[in-house]
Amino acid sequence: MSINVEPLRKILELECEKGYIDSAVIGGLDKFLRRWAGQVIESITNPQLLSHFHRLRLVDSDYASLTEQQRKQWLNEVLAFLSAAEHMEAEKGEVELPKESIVPSPPVAGRRSLGVGGQSIDSSITTLRGVSTSLAAKFNRLGVKTIRDLLYFFPHRHLDYSQRKYISQLAEGEEQTIIANVWQAQVTMLGGRRGTEAIVGDETGNVRVVWFNNPYLAKKLPTNTRIVLSGRVGLFGGRHVFESPEWELVEDRELIHTGRLVPLYPLTQGLRPRQVRKLMKQVVDQWAWQAEDFLPSELRQRCNLVELPQAISQAHYPEDEAAKDGARLRLAFDELFILQLGVLGRKHDWQESQPGNPFSAKTPVLDVFTKSLPFELTAAQHRVLEELLADLEKPRPMSRLLQGEVGSGKTVVATAALLVAAANGYQGAFMAPTEILAEQHFANVCQLLSRVGHQVAAEDNLRSYSGILSHPLTVALLIGDINQARKQEIQHLITGGDIDIVIGTHALIQKEVEFHRLSLAVVDEQHRFGVAQRSALRQKGFNPHVLVMTATPIPRTLALTLYGDLDLSVIDELPPGRQVIKTKWLKPAQRDSAYRFLRRQAAEGRQAFIICPLVEESEAIEAKAAVAEYQRLSRDVFPELRLGLIHGRMPAVEKDEVMHRFRSGELDVLVSTPVVEVGIDVPNATVMLVESADRFGLSQLHQFRGRVGRGQEQSYCMLLAENPSEISRERLDLIEKIQDGFQLAEEDLRLRGPGEFFGTRQSGLPDLRMAKLSDVALLELARSEAIRLFETDPNLEMPEHHLLAKELAQVWQKGGEWS
Ligand code: ADP
Ligand code: MG
């Protein structure tokens, strides 16, 4: 801004000296100011200054109509603006407003302004004038404690009240803004309750305005008040009526509630929209400038991002849509960037700080194993196995996420890796989320090994095979449910190094379990384990290689966010001959026909799953509901079939027993609670019937569906939906059409948002307010910038990264669990 502000300053100071009587210039200050503003506005290039400038409304100033007090305040603000402008000029455009001379917000009649003395941006909001303890308590409930928190308390959306209309132009049904005179306002009965009714007019006509349930407003709108109204216009008796519009007096110098993009804040009980908007306006005007921009300016420019103070203020009170978008982009980038720096830092700590245990992958055992399989590995399995082996040979520990559809054959690949660990003289662990799954993995792994070697010992939960390694290869199952003495025995064997591969549940990460030489940990169905469990297993070994597997196809964006510390492998191909599972969603009226269908399949010797309605209260209630459903089905619906029941509350032996009978064909129908969604493999099962399907996410339904279609016979998935909402219908339509899990996951994410993607127990998903995980490009940008930064300054020690390091520490400290 290369303008001489000196003449203007002189005039304003003169006006102050003369006692604010609008006598400093002939023709009035307004005319002068408007002319001056019109001339200089072009030359202001600094966005901060420009934003100040707009806020002061110099181009359409209305000094003449202000009270003396207001004049005084406003002039002070304009003078402060001039010094700020000069200051910036002196600094050659370096944006740093002096802390004390920031431009305060414009005057509002009767408003107390907020104090700055002694406060900092990290002061409690109670230090803000106008914030009472009770108001502060309400904000605290929303997680807002400091002024900084308040600046980051963003509106969830904006109403566009920026289009001003004349009364004659008003159209029914649209959100519109007018500026008018109040002719008359009075308390009246509206819909049986007291409200306010007013007639307002401008040069083009009059319009009626009603506010329901708000009789107090009448008093605030004496005749001849100039008022701005924003809201929806309805039609009553052929005439336009404003219905409960937002309102604001014209004397309020800058519009907050009307005539612009108006922020809508997330509110809890007791916070009033107008109150919050007013407070936010004051705080943003006064404090946003003090938010230090922690992004290195070179990065900011490269990525085309606006400066932080501007982003914060425009996120609240944007000048227009473009400014709002620019602000969101910047703030969303910050969140993703800080997140990526954090996960990359974690990866760095794990992989670089301590050496791992490099394996030799050139073991003849591997060849023998793959040749022994009753099938050829798919190309994708081969590729992923190569990726794993390459990791295992490195001196730094593997940290890899393996994604693959249900039935894509992850277990075989994991077993091969565990075998390599054993061949190198190390122990491997395989952790599953449920006992049923752990048991099944144990059975599968044993079966695979029995094709390679000879079983030489078979005790409870323990098998040994000779002819594979130089010593007998021993596999154990460790779950919570086995008897104490046996558990201790197995723990003892693990500690002594007598067990090569241990398969189990959470029982594996209990403190009693000490490994002899754990160096590969495989975690199945990762999304059910939190980061904490993952690292607990990591702690069990000397920096072991970690492989986490999931059949929940996680969209790439989410994978980069949640598991950004892991490398990604994908088995994107199913073994040949897998069929399309015919999927149909049904209304309750069609339940009987679903039962008939199931009966016919059973008559042909096929088997079926019935998933009980979802009960969220507790596992116990869910189990009880499942028992009732099982009894009803056995007695009233399928008296001629053999039914079994399985739920989370049953002792493991019983579950095992039921599973065994189902697998061996002694049962026709397995009634189950939703807990057993994962991993169960029964090729003869061809029918999956899911109750209350509308209450599950797409990915979960896809998991259920994956239980069938594992054999040669055509399989079917029937989804019963009690009372699906519109969005549920959309989901159900999608799963009918789409077989591909990844595509479904993307759709699920789009429909439900990341918060619900994993159900209620999301594993450490950080708090993203501005960023959307559907924003792939921005996420990739943040990640590549984070990697770039990491390459030059991994510990953020360079002076230009000082603020960034501080911000990183602050954010990651707040996010406790995921750090
Ligand atoms: P996932 O754990 O990925 O859901 P599994 O490893 O349990 O899948 O494999 C599902 C079924 O497919 C198992 O019965 C397994 O033996 C079989 N299988 C695995 N890989 C192949 C393959 N390449 N060809 C044929 N069948 C396979
Ligand atoms: Mg599996």
Side-chain angles (χ1 to χ4, degrees), residues 10-140:
K10 289 250 165 64
I11 285 175
L12 296 184
E13 282 168 356
L14 180 65
E15 171 66 14
C16 295
E17 266 167 45
K18 290 193 163 188
Y20 313 102
I21 50 171
D22 204 0
S23 63
V25 274
I26 298 163
L29 202 51
D30 281 318
K31 216 162 160 189
F32 177 83
L33 283 173
R34 288 178 202 177
R35 206 174 53 236
W36 180 83
Q39 283 165 3
V40 303
I41 189 160
E42 302 293 335
S43 58
I44 306 177
T45 47
N46 181 301
Q48 281 190 30
L49 271 187
L50 195 60
S51 166
H52 282 169
F53 190 86
H54 282 304
R55 188 162 306 113
L56 289 167
R57 305 252 152 176
L58 286 160
V59 251
D60 55 353
S61 72
D62 198 8
Y63 184 75
S65 69
L66 296 180
T67 63
E68 189 191 321
Q69 186 57 32
Q70 288 171 337
R71 286 178 173 189
K72 189 174 164 187
Q73 202 176 340
W74 188 64
L75 283 182
N76 280 333
E77 285 160 8
V78 177
L79 284 167
F81 167 76
L82 294 180
S83 349
E86 264 184 339
H87 182 83
M88 283 195 202
E89 175 70 355
E91 301 276 317
K92 294 262 175 326
E94 279 297 318
V95 184
E96 233 212 284
L97 284 166
K99 291 263 147 71
E100 297 304 315
S101 75
I102 51 155
V103 182
S105 50
V108 171
R111 201 201 76 202
R112 288 178 299 167
S113 80
L114 301 159
V116 181
Q119 280 170 294
S120 85
I121 196 167
D122 292 309
S123 299
S124 158
I125 53 170
T126 52
T127 63
L128 293 169
R129 254 186 275 157
V131 176
S132 63
T133 28
S134 86
L135 183 59
K138 288 168 191 164
F139 272 113
N140 283 351

Side-chain angles (χ1 to χ4, degrees), residues 407 410-411 437 440-441 524-525 549 551 679 710:
K410 297 183 293 296
T411 314
L437 266 180
Q440 189 175 295
H441 282 324
D524 197 17
E525 296 304 336
M549 307 201 295
R710 304 198 137 217

Side-chain angles (χ1 to χ4, degrees), residues 451-501:
R451 295 172 153 276
V452 194
H454 308 285
Q455 187 172 307
V456 289
E459 299 171 40
D460 259 4
N461 296 336
L462 201 133
R463 307 276 184 278
S464 287
Y465 301 91
S466 68
I468 306 178
L469 305 177
S470 53
H471 65 274
L473 172 66
T474 305
V475 187
L477 174 67
L478 186 63
I479 53 180
D481 208 57
I482 58 178
N483 83 51
Q484 200 54 36
R486 184 64 184 148
K487 203 188 280 177
Q488 277 170 8
E489 245 173 282
I490 291 179
Q491 283 167 2
H492 187 73
L493 290 171
I494 292 172
T495 310
D498 297 317
I499 288 172
D500 300 283
I501 298 172

Side-chain angles (χ1 to χ4, degrees), residues 375-378 381 404-412 441 444 551 575-576 578 681 710:
F375 45 73
E376 279 284 313
L377 291 181
T378 61
Q381 281 172 316
E405 270 280 20
V406 180
S408 62
K410 297 183 293 296
T411 314
V412 187
H441 282 324
N444 283 346
R578 289 282 159 81
D681 194 14
R710 304 198 137 217

